[in-house]
Amino acid sequence: MKIALLNPPFRLPGDSSRWITVPPQRYGGIQWVVATLIDGLLAAGCELALLGAPGSPARSGLTVPDVVDATDTELWLANNRVDVVHDHTNGDLRPARTTPPTISTFHLTGTPQYRTNCVYVSEAQRTGAGSATAPVIRLPVNPERHLYTDQKQDFLLFLGRVSRHKGAKEAAAFAAAAGLPLRVAGPSWEPEYLTEITTQYPGTVEYLGDVGGRTRLELISGARAILVMSQPVRGSFGDVWSEPGATVVSEAAVSGTPVISTANGCLPEIVPDVGLVLPDSADGITAEAAEKALAALPQPDEVRAAALQRWGHHRVTREYLAVYERLLRGDVWL
C-alpha cells in the first residue's frame, strides 16, 4: 500500500528559514505521532510519502517532497499515485479538490473541519466532536525512540507548551505541595504566564526551555513522575480545552515514568494503568494529598508494560491498516 501522510507545515520557532521536521527538533506532539506511525507503516511494508515537513530525513520506503500548502499537495497528488491520503493537519494541508481516499486523524479539541472518515485519538475527543461511531485509535509510541530506567530521580517533570490550558501552574502547585523540584520543559509563547509561575513558585520551578534530543529523553525517563495537568480553559484555539490524546502520557509510560494527571478530556481513559488521576485540580492540593498520590504510583516496569500493550506502534499500525482497508472498500463514517 502506498500512503501519503500530511503533516502540519509549521516553521521552526527561532529560525523561520526551517520547518519543524518529522521527528521534531524539539516541541511537536503531532510530529512525534507521525514519526512513530511512519516507523510502524514502514515495518509493515508500506511505501510512504511525507508531505508538509521539508527537511525531514528520508528513509528507505519514505520520500519527503517539498510540499508546504494545500496547492502543493493537490499538485503532488495529481502527479503521484497513492492508495490512501492520511491527513494529520486538521485540514490545513488537505486540497479542496477530490483526492484519493482520505482519512483524517483529529489532533485538536472541538469539532474537526472534515468529519467524514475522521479517526479520533480518544473517546472523550470523539464525544466532544459529536460522533459515536467513528474509529478511536490511540496515539502510538515506539520504545526504540525512548529511554527506559527504573532508577528515578527526585524531581517532577512538566513537558509541553507552557500555557494555561496545559496546566503548568497547577503542576508547580503539586510539586510545591510534594516538596519536590519541578523541571518545566517546553516552549513558552505566553511569557507573562511563565513569569507568574516562576514568581509564585521560585524555589520549586526550574524552567529549561524547549528541549530536544537526548536531553528530552533523559528528562522523561529520569523523572519520578510526569505531571499532565490539563485545564478546561479557553485558549487561542477557540474552544475550551479537553485534552484530546496526550502524546506525553505514552512517552512517559514507555520510559517507565508514571503519570499524575487531572481528569481533563482523555486523561481518565488513558492514565489509570500508568499512573493516577487526581480527583480535583492540583491547584490548592495539600502536602498530605500530594504525598499520598506519589505513594500510589505504579512501578516503572508495570508502567512500561502497560504502555507497550496499549500503545505500541506495531499494534496502532495494525489498527490504522484496518481502517485504510475500510476506506479502500468504500466505507464512509461520521
Side-chain angles (χ1 to χ4, degrees):
M1 189 181 296
K2 185 169 184 178
I3 304 157
L5 297 167
L6 309 187
N7 175 78
F10 295 152
R11 294 285 185 177
L12 184 66
D15 185 355
S16 61
S17 68
R18 299 167 62 197
W19 301 90
I20 298 179
T21 56
V22 174
Q25 297 93 326
R26 294 187 292 275
Y27 177 77
I30 297 175
Q31 286 79 9
W32 275 116
V33 172
V34 174
T36 307
L37 184 57
I38 285 172
D39 293 341
L41 290 171
L42 290 177
C46 296
E47 185 178 354
L48 308 177
L50 174 63
L51 283 59
S56 299
R59 298 157 59 180
S60 177
L62 171 68
T63 60
V64 186
D66 190 12
V67 170
V68 297
D69 59 28
T71 301
D72 291 344
T73 303
E74 186 171 317
L75 181 61
W76 189 90
L77 290 171
N79 290 285
N80 296 270
R81 185 197 66 80
V82 299
D83 299 302
V84 170
V85 175
H86 188 167
D87 183 12
H88 290 268
T89 71
N90 305 302
D92 290 347
L93 213 63
R94 187 165 172 158
R97 292 178 55 189
T98 302
T99 64
T102 301
I103 71 164
S104 306
T105 295
F106 189 43
H107 291 280
L108 298 177
T109 191
T111 304
Q113 181 179 358
Y114 296 95
R115 292 188 61 198
T116 301
N117 293 350
C118 188
V119 172
Y120 297 93
V121 296
S122 68
E123 301 283 351
Q125 185 200 41
R126 182 177 69 174
T127 298
S131 175
T133 59
V136 171
I137 300 180
R138 304 293 182 182
L139 299 178
V141 66
N142 181 352
E144 295 181 5
R145 289 190 177 273
H146 295 273
L147 302 176
Y148 169 79
T149 179
D150 59 5
Q151 301 300 308
K152 303 302 179 182
Q153 302 172 43
D154 274 337
F155 72 89
L156 302 174
L157 177 65
F158 174 91
L159 180 69
R161 178 173 170 175
V162 185
S163 300
R164 294 188 188 278
H165 69 284
K166 287 294 187 178
K169 184 178 178 181
E170 286 74 16
F174 181 95
L180 291 171
L182 177 71
R183 296 179 184 174
V184 175
S188 175
W189 299 320
E190 295 117 299
E192 71 289 347
Y193 179 62
L194 177 61
T195 299
E196 179 183 337
I197 297 169
T198 55
T199 300
Q200 188 168 345
Y201 299 100
T204 297
V205 173
E206 179 186 5
Y207 179 56
L208 304 177
D210 193 3
V211 300
R214 190 171 181 87
T215 298
R216 179 177 183 274
L217 299 181
E218 289 176 346
L219 280 170
I220 296 173
S221 63
R224 183 168 171 185
I226 196 162
L227 305 181
V228 185
M229 300 298 186
S230 302
Q231 299 292 308
V233 298
R234 191 175 298 276
S236 58
F237 39 81
D239 291 300
V240 173
W241 186 249
S242 175
E243 189 65 47
T247 310
V248 69
V249 171
S250 58
E251 292 183 316
V254 83
S255 306
T257 301
V259 178
I260 297 174
S261 82
T262 56
N264 184 267
C266 71
L267 298 174
E269 298 173 37
I270 64 175
V271 169
D273 284 350
V274 298
L276 178 72
V277 179
L278 296 174
D280 298 300
S281 167
D283 197 11
I285 194 169
T286 65
E288 181 182 2
E291 182 180 356
K292 184 176 179 181
L294 289 168
L297 293 175
Q299 295 300 307
D301 58 339
E302 298 170 334
V303 171
R304 179 177 171 85
L308 293 174
Q309 192 277 326
R310 298 180 66 184
W311 310 308
H313 65 305
H314 295 304
R315 171 179 176 165
V316 171
T317 295
R318 290 193 294 270
E319 294 177 4
Y320 269 116
L321 289 172
V323 171
Y324 297 158
E325 294 291 348
R326 285 184 60 186
L327 195 66
L328 292 173
R329 291 197 303 267
D331 287 3
V332 177
W333 61 86
L334 289 173

